[in-house]
Amino acid sequence: MLSLIRFLLKHAFIVYFLVLESIAFILLFQSNPYQRASFLNSSDYLFAGTYQAFDRMNDYLELKRVNQDLSWENSELKKSAIRYFRKSFDQTVIYRDTAFRQEYTFYPVKIIRNTTHLRNNYMTLNKGEMNGVRQGMGVISSKGVLGIVIETSKQFSVAMSVLNKDSRISARVKKNGYFGSVIWTGGDYRIGRLNEIPNHVSLVEGDTIVTSGFSGIFPENVPIGTVKTVTRKKGSGFLEIEIVFTQDFKTLSYGHIVKYLHEIERKEIESKIPKND
Amino acid sequence: MISTIIKYSFLFVFLILLQVLILNNLHMSVLVNPYVYVLFILLLPFETQGWLVLSLSFVLGMILDTFSNTVGMHTAALVFMAFVRNYLLIVMAPRDGYEQEKTPHYTYMGLIWFVMYAGILIFIHHLTLFVLEDFRAAYFFTAVFKALLSGVFSLVIILILMLFSYRPRR
């Protein structure tokens, strides 16, 4: 025992280095992006507050583009609003909607911090638990899918961007319904990849990829991207498809958090599926 | 002693703010991500105890990790760099040792010595960081390339910073 202590004292520097490095590595490899130690996260008030103060200065520079996006989205919404369809009827219409039930609701958020140049990108949002944001909710913008909320604090939340190695978005080819998953392989922030589409499916450049709605995180038919190149690889049953994201991740400033209203009921019924393993 | 501590505390806060608020938002390219906060560890005086250097780099790494949502990544890279620094200083020591109360600043040690010293440590730090960022064999050469490019960039920024911000006593 004594000689062990003597040995440790002699090599105190190396031992201390190994201890600190092990702590770092344990934190690094234990942390699942969906459940990490919450004290080490920029959704904490101090850290997110610093970002928010800095973000306020940038707000003014982006007003013009934000306004353009908003007016575009407004006109899209007006096109689909039910009251604009009913104006053509002359008689009074009693509109009692029992055929449709609301499935999703949306909270507007501001993205106060966002990166695109790292391998694993995250964004910080200005709403948190106080506004009803919970882990696992989707984040979209008027132009496409942005990411999934992984961490929340009282007033802020952090979302894992689509531009992250752990991000997998359940996706569908709009024209024929084949589904796969969209991932990002790093490098160019505009280019993603669509996996798991079988070889016999015919796709051409410009085909639209939308969300499948299977996961209950995003509603159906939210745009993700358009097909850029399709390569057939010998010996593989699947196509290699590169897509261009419809949302330019460098120009993000506002988005919507998606809340799935039937989540509890759905989870309950899905928990009854017999497990294979 | 007290003035040294105050000076280094100021440098500590300044470098964190510079890194987090300005450099992390540059988004220049996927290949160029300068990390200048390592300057704090580079500039610690020669006679700083090994455990203190390691502890400081652990704390600094943790703060950076918290700001950029990368649990443990900056910490692992910076602590490893501090570990190598200890031995690099021994290897690169002049024939009659370091003078008392001196820092590894280029005004004492010469520009060539400093560029070698800082260059090696910055490369080690960046390489560890980029390898940990995406832990796959296929990504390794991209990481080396990234570390070289970003390293050169960090070194240039560090030299510019040292030119007109931090003037030690002669």
Side-chain angles (χ1 to χ4, degrees):
Chain A
M1 192 64 203
L2 208 64
S3 62
L4 177 69
I5 292 171
R6 208 177 294 134
F7 176 82
L8 287 181
L9 280 178
K10 198 176 157 200
H11 299 281
F13 180 71
I14 296 176
V15 173
Y16 189 49
F17 162 71
L18 288 176
V19 169
L20 290 183
E21 196 77 343
S22 323
I23 295 174
F25 271 89
I26 288 168
L27 285 174
L28 180 60
F29 287 107
Q30 246 191 1
S31 72
N32 179 318
Y34 290 100
Q35 35 168 305
R36 48 173 49 156
S38 53
F39 65 96
L40 284 173
N41 210 293
S42 70
S43 63
D44 279 348
Y45 186 75
L46 172 71
F47 294 99
T50 315
Y51 282 131
Q52 197 179 33
F54 197 67
D55 182 64
R56 278 194 197 121
M57 301 197 296
N58 287 332
D59 265 2
Y60 293 99
L61 304 171
E62 289 181 8
L63 278 178
K64 193 181 167 200
R65 198 187 45 71
V66 168
N67 272 332
Q68 278 170 355
D69 282 0
L70 283 177
S71 65
W72 178 81
E73 196 177 359
N74 266 340
S75 65
E76 287 294 304
L77 286 173
K78 271 185 184 153
K79 276 186 218 160
S80 60
I82 194 91
R83 62 196 164 101
Y84 290 95
F85 292 106
R86 283 196 291 145
K87 271 186 180 160
S88 58
F89 292 101
D90 274 333
Q91 74 264 48
T92 321
V93 177
I94 300 169
Y95 185 71
R96 196 186 288 136
D97 195 345
T98 49
F100 297 98
R101 204 149 61 105
Q102 195 180 5
E103 262 205 302
Y104 294 94
T105 179
F106 302 91
Y107 307 120
V109 283
K110 171 127 180 40
I111 291 130
I112 58 174
R113 176 173 179 262
N114 177 41
T115 60
T116 55
H117 63 299
L118 303 171
R119 179 65 184 90
N120 298 311
N121 297 294
Y122 297 91
M123 42 188 112
T124 309
L125 314 170
N126 74 340
K127 293 215 168 142
E129 284 155 22
M130 265 163 64
N131 312 85
V133 181
R134 298 281 178 277
Q135 265 185 25
M137 287 184 179
V139 188
I140 61 174
S141 72
S142 50
K143 292 186 184 148
V145 168
L146 305 185
I148 295 169
V149 174
I150 54 164
E151 189 69 42
T152 54
S153 70
K154 239 179 171 172
Q155 301 182 49
F156 299 100
S157 50
V158 169
M160 181 169 74
S161 171
V162 173
L163 309 180
N164 191 304
K165 74 172 178 200
D166 297 308
S167 162
R168 289 170 69 86
I169 309 289
S170 174
R172 193 158 56 86
V173 182
K174 198 174 183 183
K175 69 171 182 187
N176 55 22
Y178 279 97
F179 63 89
S181 60
V182 168
I183 58 163
W184 187 60
T185 48
D188 194 337
Y189 68 93
R190 286 168 298 189
I191 308 292
R193 185 176 283 203
L194 176 62
N195 281 348
E196 296 158 30
I197 299 291
N199 244 334
H200 59 83
V201 179
S202 73
L203 280 178
V204 290
E205 195 187 322
D207 280 349
T208 314
I209 310 296
V210 295
T211 52
S212 67
F214 288 166
S215 53
I217 296 172
F218 300 106
E220 228 176 322
N221 292 331
V222 178
I224 300 176
T226 54
V227 173
K228 185 174 173 242
T229 58
V230 183
T231 8
R232 285 200 157 68
K233 245 192 171 174
K234 268 196 173 168
S236 154
F238 298 105
L239 292 172
E240 240 176 52
I241 305 163
E242 276 194 334
I243 64 170
V244 181
F245 293 122
T246 42
Q247 170 68 52
D248 186 336
F249 283 90
K250 278 219 178 183
T251 61
L252 288 184
S253 53
Y254 287 90
H256 309 281
I257 286 186
V258 182
K259 182 184 162 77
Y260 184 47
L261 294 170
H262 310 311
E263 193 190 350
I264 297 169
E265 191 182 332
R266 176 171 166 165
K267 274 199 176 142
E268 208 175 280
I269 186 101
E270 279 180 350
S271 67
K272 289 175 184 156
I273 302 172
K275 295 237 162 50
N276 286 329
D277 44 23
Chain B
M1 184 65 189
I2 298 290
S3 77
T4 318
I5 291 175
I6 292 172
K7 209 158 60 188
Y8 277 95
S9 315
F10 176 74
L11 186 67
F12 189 82
V13 176
F14 170 75
L15 284 175
I16 290 173
L17 291 181
L18 175 74
Q19 182 67 47
V20 171
L21 293 182
I22 296 172
L23 290 174
N24 281 1
N25 289 318
L26 278 185
H27 303 205
M28 268 173 297
S29 147
V30 183
L31 291 172
V32 183
N33 306 325
Y35 291 105
V36 168
Y37 67 94
V38 296
L39 179 63
F40 180 77
I41 303 297
L42 294 181
L43 277 185
L44 286 175
F46 289 119
E47 72 263 20
T48 318
Q49 296 289 311
W51 64 268
L52 188 59
V53 181
L54 287 179
S55 311
L56 283 172
S57 46
F58 187 79
V59 173
L60 182 57
M62 277 293 184
I63 294 175
L64 257 294
D65 276 332
T66 318
F67 267 114
S68 47
N69 284 314
T70 49
V71 183
M73 229 155 66
H74 286 285
T75 316
L78 197 63
V79 169
F80 182 60
M81 191 199 87
F83 177 72
V84 175
R85 173 191 189 263
N86 193 48
Y87 297 100
L88 189 70
L89 280 182
I90 297 172
V91 174
M92 290 181 75
R95 210 177 316 139
D96 35 355
Y98 298 106
E99 286 175 59
Q100 280 293 302
E101 292 183 16
K102 285 289 156 71
T103 59
H105 197 274
Y106 70 87
T107 43
Y108 304 125
M109 306 303 300
L111 191 61
I112 295 169
W113 186 92
F114 182 79
V115 168
M116 283 246 298
Y117 160 80
I120 293 171
L121 290 182
I122 289 172
F123 179 69
I124 286 171
H125 170 268
H126 283 33
L127 184 63
T128 322
L129 191 68
F130 292 139
V131 166
L132 290 178
E133 207 169 65
D134 193 353
F135 205 60
R136 284 181 296 137
Y139 186 70
F140 183 73
F141 290 103
T142 321
V144 174
F145 188 56
K146 260 174 94 169
L148 274 174
L149 266 183
S150 310
V152 169
F153 217 82
S154 305
L155 187 62
V156 170
I157 298 178
I158 281 179
L159 287 175
I160 294 171
L161 275 182
M162 288 173 79
L163 265 183
F164 60 87
S165 63
Y166 178 71
R167 240 179 259 280
R169 289 165 290 138
R170 272 214 164 257

